[in-house]
Amino acid sequence: NICPRECGADREKGKGYCGVGQDFTLARAAKHMWEEPCISGANGSGTVFFSGCAMKCVFCQNYKISTENFGKVLSAKELADCYKKLEEQGVHNINLVSGTHFVNAIIESLDIYKPSVPVVYNCGGYESQTAIKALQGYVDIYLPDFKYATQEIAKKYSNAPDYPNVALKALEEMLQQQPKNIYDENGIMQKGVIVRHLVLPANTKNSIAVLDLLEKDFGNDITISLMAQYTPCGIAEQYPEINRKITKREYNKVLSYLQELGFDGFAQQLTSATKDYIPNFDLQGL
């Protein structure tokens, strides 16, 4: 029940909705250069990719690990050692990717070793407030998605009709913990929150509604990262309307509205819509 699915699975004996048991399952722990500039910087972000996922988006670019659950089982001590190895490579932060269903174990690993660089919690936004509250004092930077504004779209692509309400409450808690973005002298984020939104093809109305929802609840002083990187992955071919990349017109429509609302942040180039930037999940660093 650590994630909003509250599937009630006994993960010591079996698997939850997330597709994995209680043991850490990871697919990669390596330097990553393609996050936001203030996250990757010149030295890269030390990304740790967890296997399994509480969302199971039909278009997930990490489908191999999120839904097919490819990965390697590690202990909390071994995960803590991964943090140390990444730090030795000079990364700007330790970036925990899709760890929603492993929050308790993540806390255990951070109790064993707290990195000297910021800890980033990189997630799909579908988080329980209980889990985010438990991470207080452990996480320096929250990097959540905000995918959907309506129950219908959230159900269609992620089987999570409660996503908008859940994500708003989770984001509220994140912003309470880290209300101000703090950067070092080189522009590398040390604390704060960046909200990501991925523009989906044929869904600009959803994107505009997401921006309206965020502006209504939090004002326009939160940092938004607008993402143009969508490329059909997972089982997107079963959904014809999203079985293509977004168009320049679609992206510019959302970007213009973002600017009209006065949000600050980041905007990807359309050239980011390629599978070349998807990490190779080969157990590197584990």
Side-chain angles (χ1 to χ4, degrees):
N1 295 323
I2 193 65
C3 92
R5 297 287 182 187
E6 296 187 348
C7 67
D10 183 349
R11 289 169 59 192
E12 289 184 349
K13 299 178 180 178
K15 298 178 179 180
Y17 185 97
C18 54
V20 292
Q22 181 170 291
D23 295 329
F24 274 125
T25 312
L26 281 79
R28 177 183 170 94
K31 184 183 292 189
H32 189 63
M33 300 302 299
W34 303 310
E35 305 285 33
E36 286 76 4
C38 64
I39 301 294
S40 287
N43 297 339
S45 177
T47 50
V48 177
F49 285 88
F50 293 93
S51 303
C53 184
M55 289 204 68
K56 308 292 188 187
C57 302
V58 299
F59 51 81
C60 182
Q61 68 174 22
N62 298 340
Y63 199 82
K64 178 179 178 179
I65 66 171
S66 66
T67 303
E68 296 178 354
N69 306 321
F70 171 80
K72 178 181 178 181
V73 173
L74 297 182
S75 67
K77 173 63 168 59
E78 289 170 327
L79 177 57
D81 287 341
C82 287
Y83 304 156
K84 294 178 184 178
K85 292 175 185 176
L86 287 168
E87 279 187 288
E88 290 169 359
Q89 296 177 39
V91 298
H92 293 297
N93 46 64
I94 300 299
N95 187 347
L96 307 176
V97 184
S98 298
T100 304
H101 45 301
F102 287 126
V103 164
N104 292 331
I106 286 171
I107 289 171
E108 182 182 355
S109 73
L110 292 171
D111 280 335
I112 293 171
Y113 179 72
K114 181 67 164 69
S116 59
V117 294
V119 172
V120 180
Y121 189 73
N122 183 339
C123 66
Y126 194 57
E127 306 281 336
S128 70
Q129 278 189 308
T130 300
I132 300 303
K133 286 179 179 179
L135 290 168
Q136 185 163 7
Y138 292 95
V139 171
D140 303 291
I141 299 166
Y142 285 103
L143 195 58
D145 290 337
F146 204 104
K147 297 178 184 289
Y148 312 114
T150 69
Q151 293 182 355
E152 293 75 19
I153 299 295
K155 179 174 176 56
K156 184 175 186 180
Y157 297 134
S158 298
N159 192 30
D162 59 343
Y163 180 95
N165 187 50
V166 167
L168 281 173
K169 290 180 178 178
L171 180 55
E172 180 181 10
E173 178 62 30
M174 293 173 189
L175 288 166
Q176 284 182 354
Q177 291 181 26
Q178 300 293 351
K180 183 178 179 181
N181 290 355
I182 299 174
Y183 304 86
D184 69 8
E185 64 277 7
N186 297 312
I188 302 300
M189 181 175 270
Q190 303 298 299
K191 291 184 179 296
V193 179
I194 298 175
V195 182
R196 290 172 161 175
H197 176 69
L198 176 66
V199 181
L200 299 176
N203 278 277
T204 56
K205 287 184 179 179
N206 173 64
S207 292
I208 288 171
V210 163
L211 296 176
D212 280 336
L213 195 59
L214 292 173
E215 197 275 337
K216 175 178 176 291
D217 278 46
F218 305 109
N220 65 1
D221 57 347
I222 61 173
T223 301
I224 304 291
S225 179
L226 193 66
M227 306 177 78
Q229 69 184 40
Y230 181 86
T231 188
C233 293
I235 56 171
E237 72 275 4
Q238 297 179 22
Y239 299 80
E241 74 280 7
I242 61 169
N243 193 29
R244 62 170 174 83
K245 298 178 182 181
I246 62 172
T247 65
K248 182 177 181 180
R249 181 179 179 183
E250 286 174 323
Y251 188 57
N252 285 343
K253 180 179 180 181
V254 180
L255 179 58
S256 295
Y257 194 66
L258 176 84
Q259 295 168 339
E260 183 182 324
L261 290 177
F263 284 110
D264 191 18
F266 307 91
Q268 282 184 328
Q269 300 295 317
L270 282 169
T271 52
S272 64
T274 171
K275 293 184 180 180
D276 293 344
Y277 296 113
I278 299 175
N280 184 16
F281 298 114
D282 56 2
L283 307 181
Q284 182 180 347
L286 305 179

